[in-house]
Amino acid sequence: MKIIAITGKGGTGKTAVAGMLIRHLARRGKTLLAIDADPDSNLPDVLGVKIDKTIGDMREFMLQERDKMAPDTNKERLLESKIYEILTEMPEYDLLVMGRPEGSGCYCFANNLLRGIMDKILKNYDLTIIDTAAGLEHLSRRIIRDVDELLVVTDGSRRGLQTAERIRELAKSLNLNIKKMHVIANKVTPENRGQIEEYTKKLNMDLAGIIPFDENIAKFDLEGRPLSELPEESAALHGVGEIVKKMGL
Ligand SMILES: Nc1ncnc2c1ncn2[C@@H]1O[C@H](COP(=O)(O)OP(=O)(O)OP(=O)(O)O)[C@@H](O)[C@H]1O
Ligand SMILES: [Mg+2]
């Protein structure tokens, strides 16, 4: 069981990278779970999957029903069965969407249940890939506690790289259990490649790989087409394949 979380500054390409990673990994015969942990969820679109309900919806359900339940209801088992109901099963991977963040009520009860349930669910898979929103707050809510590999996606901008550095510090201060952290440079052009390599070296961060700027991705995005249809020979897809090899996934 390995948990990979993808983070980075807004708009650097986290979801696109997640989508392409899933496409590569799904073929390797491993059991794979994809989790969209961005409240502004768009991983299903990138994967070309329609989803109906989210974990957030199920958490709301539990809170609303809590007082009406018979005292002997096994709440953990009930929520677990609700999560399995909303799990989307694709031929090569399963998908869960976290959905909206908590409202103003007290969510400790539901979140505590969720933590245990997610721990259990993740154990069923060889690999879990989590696409996150910019920032680490969602991880700090600690529904998912342990991350084996944190991938920080940056674009060629100095701010993207500074965010990568900040995330490293934040991970330390939040006491998150992150085993390894790597940087992935995305939307790389021949012009900014040297600078990115130099800067990551200076920050002493492992550069897992470089994904070129790829016209196809921008085009697919505009046309609302999923990256699962991206041509096999696409430069970005190739870049992600190299990362998968380098990381030994
Ligand atoms: N390698 C690439 N080449 C060209 N365009 C790319 C590449 N990667 C991502 N993009 C484009 O950059 C934009 C942002 O990508 P994406 O939505 O994956 O970023 P994100 O980090 O997930 O954003 P958010 O922080 O909003 O979740 C999209 O329009 C996407 O099509
Ligand atoms: Mg995204």
Side-chain angles (χ1 to χ4, degrees):
M1 182 191 98
K2 188 176 248 185
I3 301 171
I4 302 172
I6 303 174
T7 184
K9 192 170 87 67
T12 47
K14 298 178 288 296
T15 306
V17 171
M20 290 187 283
L21 255 185
I22 290 162
R23 180 163 155 182
H24 271 287
L25 294 171
R27 297 185 191 146
R28 306 200 140 215
K30 296 195 174 159
T31 52
L32 187 61
L33 174 67
I35 299 182
D36 188 348
D38 184 348
D40 197 13
S41 149
N42 50 20
L43 184 62
D45 289 340
V46 163
L47 293 171
V49 180
K50 264 213 127 29
I51 68 118
D52 194 24
K53 289 235 157 57
T54 68
I55 291 180
D57 296 331
M58 296 304 109
R59 181 167 52 197
E60 281 311 318
F61 165 85
M62 287 302 286
L63 289 177
Q64 277 161 21
E65 297 298 309
R66 186 185 181 183
D67 297 334
K68 299 175 214 154
M69 287 173 196
D72 61 347
T73 308
N74 184 329
K75 298 189 181 71
E76 179 160 8
R77 198 165 307 152
L78 175 63
L79 183 56
E80 187 176 356
S81 69
K82 288 275 161 198
I83 303 290
Y84 277 109
E85 258 174 52
I86 60 154
L87 183 82
T88 305
E89 295 183 49
M90 300 301 289
E92 292 173 314
Y93 58 87
D94 292 345
L95 172 66
L96 275 175
V97 176
M98 298 294 280
R100 59 185 154 164
E102 298 132 34
S104 55
C106 176
Y107 285 79
C108 300
F109 148 77
N111 279 346
N112 286 336
L113 287 182
L114 256 184
R115 246 171 237 133
I117 294 166
M118 292 306 282
D119 277 350
K120 242 162 89 184
I121 292 178
L122 265 51
K123 287 205 174 84
N124 296 333
Y125 296 89
D126 296 327
L127 275 173
T128 297
I129 308 281
I130 310 169
D131 178 27
T132 71
L136 274 181
E137 291 72 18
H138 46 283
L139 278 178
S140 70
R141 237 185 275 137
R142 318 274 317 253
I143 302 283
I144 293 162
R145 286 172 281 201
D146 304 309
V147 174
D148 295 294
E149 318 259 0
L150 185 72
L151 302 181
V152 184
V153 180
T154 175
D155 51 19
S157 73
R158 201 170 180 84
R159 276 193 52 216
L161 284 156
Q162 279 164 348
T163 303
E165 190 180 18
R166 214 163 36 236
I167 285 170
R168 176 169 64 182
E169 298 310 313
L170 194 59
K172 268 190 225 153
S173 72
L174 289 172
N175 247 335
L176 287 172
N177 186 13
I178 295 169
K179 294 212 184 92
K180 276 193 209 149
M181 178 173 158
H182 315 263
V183 174
I184 290 180
N186 186 30
K187 307 191 202 183
V188 175
T189 60
E191 291 77 42
N192 63 17
R193 184 179 179 125
Q195 247 176 340
I196 292 171
E197 283 171 339
E198 201 181 298
Y199 201 59
T200 41
K201 209 180 275 166
K202 214 158 55 189
L203 295 177
N204 204 12
M205 292 201 281
D206 173 56
L207 186 59
I210 280 177
I211 304 171
F213 182 88
D214 187 333
E215 299 279 342
N216 269 334
I217 297 189
K219 190 165 153 259
F220 271 55
D221 197 29
L222 271 176
E223 293 170 357
R225 285 173 72 189
L227 295 186
S228 47
E229 292 174 14
L230 209 58
E232 200 57 47
E233 65 278 9
S234 291
L237 201 55
H238 179 76
V240 175
E242 292 298 310
I243 291 169
V244 167
K245 269 193 232 153
K246 184 169 182 228
M247 289 178 66
L249 297 174

